[in-house]
Amino acid sequence: GAQYALVKFLAKHHNNITVVGDPDQSIYEWRGANVENILHFEKDFPKAKIVRLEQNYRSTNRILKAANAVIANNARRKPKNLWSDKGDGEIIHLYKATDERMEAVFMVSQILALRQQGRPLTEMVGFYRTHSQSRVIEEELLRYNIPYRIIGGVKFYARREIKDLLAYL
């Protein structure tokens, strides 16, 4: 809020401001981000030119259609329609795990099934929302001798505090 007030004060005379934001992503609220800043931007800067970046270069239209359906439920949102030139893509399957262990077991079963079909591990990737989820997934991967690499983080058992704790035990 303080940052927005300062920027608003500095830019109000010349309206010389550039902002990038997505009102459908409020994941940074825990760091003090406030989606209201983006929602009020057009009112605070009525002469602003709004450029919507709706083309997605990674996902297929089937994934984006599902994403559009989810974000359509966001209250007070600005209209947006994500799209791609990558075609429809594969059908989306939903698996609802009863707990984190079952989620990891399912993930590994999918990897094993794809390997049975001849797909190399280099074509596979698994995503998780927070680093705290990696331990259970890593344990399942290790149990089946499936090599893996953590991108943007450290393997659970390679973390300094875990190595120290295990050495202590």
Side-chain angles (χ1 to χ4, degrees):
Q3 288 175 336
Y4 188 74
L6 178 61
V7 166
K8 191 172 154 184
F9 173 76
L10 293 173
K12 71 178 179 181
H13 183 65
H14 294 289
N15 283 315
N16 188 2
I17 185 169
T18 301
V19 174
V20 177
D22 186 346
D24 290 318
Q25 292 195 15
S26 59
I27 61 173
Y28 295 107
E29 189 172 345
W30 61 274
R31 285 178 37 187
N34 184 350
V35 72
E36 299 297 321
N37 294 340
I38 291 294
L39 295 174
H40 291 276
F41 183 79
E42 289 178 75
K43 179 182 73 99
D44 293 337
F45 297 95
K47 294 180 183 174
K49 178 181 178 185
I50 307 299
V51 178
R52 285 180 176 65
L53 304 176
E54 298 175 316
Q55 183 177 5
N56 184 294
Y57 296 93
R58 294 180 300 222
S59 300
T60 60
N61 282 310
R62 197 164 270 136
I63 290 170
L64 297 175
K65 185 177 179 183
N68 282 328
V70 171
I71 63 176
N73 295 306
N74 291 355
R76 301 176 298 130
R77 66 182 302 270
K78 305 286 184 187
K80 176 172 53 179
N81 186 42
L82 302 173
W83 63 276
S84 172
D85 60 6
K86 290 191 171 285
D88 284 339
E90 296 182 29
I91 293 174
I92 298 171
H93 299 276
L94 175 66
Y95 172 77
K96 185 175 180 181
T98 55
D99 61 23
E100 61 185 1
R101 176 69 54 198
M102 291 309 298
E103 185 176 40
V105 167
F106 176 76
M107 186 178 192
V108 168
S109 73
Q110 295 300 296
I111 292 169
L112 294 173
L114 289 168
R115 285 181 80 185
Q116 284 283 102
Q117 297 170 16
R119 300 283 291 272
L121 288 173
T122 55
E123 291 183 6
M124 299 181 207
V125 63
F127 294 101
Y128 50 84
R129 188 79 170 149
T130 64
H131 286 301
S132 64
Q133 294 176 281
S134 75
R135 181 188 56 82
V136 178
I137 295 169
E138 289 183 67
E139 287 173 354
E140 283 301 310
L141 292 168
L142 290 168
R143 185 201 284 183
Y144 287 91
N145 288 328
I146 299 173
Y148 65 94
R149 193 168 38 138
I150 303 287
I151 307 294
V154 179
K155 291 182 178 183
F156 181 79
Y157 291 102
R159 295 176 188 164
R160 183 177 178 182
E161 65 274 18
I162 300 304
K163 287 168 46 174
D164 288 349
L165 181 63
L166 291 173
Y168 176 75
L169 293 173

